[in-house]
Amino acid sequence: MLIIEVTNSRDLVRQRIGRLGERLIGRVVDAEAQVEKALIQELETAFKEFGIEARIVSVQGPQLVGREHLELPIQVREELDVRLSEP
């Protein structure tokens, strides 16, 4: 299992929407959710190219605590099953 924590979501969204939109980050725009949604789309494409079937889940809540602990109060934001062929 892989866990990927994007640590610069706010910066990425800020680059996309500019200074005016910067005030909306955290109020209207969920920077983490937007970046995770884009990553899920890219991962789906890459996984299919490599023949990988996977379940990708975007969740809100987990926090990395140092290098040895992960706190897990989660809320699923988005989920996608990547399949090589449609049933």
Side-chain angles (χ1 to χ4, degrees), residues 43-66:
L43 286 170
E44 178 183 18
T45 300
F47 284 5
K48 285 181 175 180
E49 286 178 10
F50 283 97
I52 297 170
E53 291 187 348
R55 184 169 157 200
I56 302 168
V57 180
S58 170
V59 297
Q60 182 177 357
Q63 297 290 321
L64 292 173
V65 181

Side-chain angles (χ1 to χ4, degrees), residues 62-78:
Q63 297 290 321
L64 292 173
V65 181
R67 295 181 56 93
E68 298 182 16
H69 299 293
L70 178 65
E71 293 180 356
L72 290 173
I74 65 170
Q75 176 183 355
V76 175
R77 284 196 274 231
E78 190 165 332

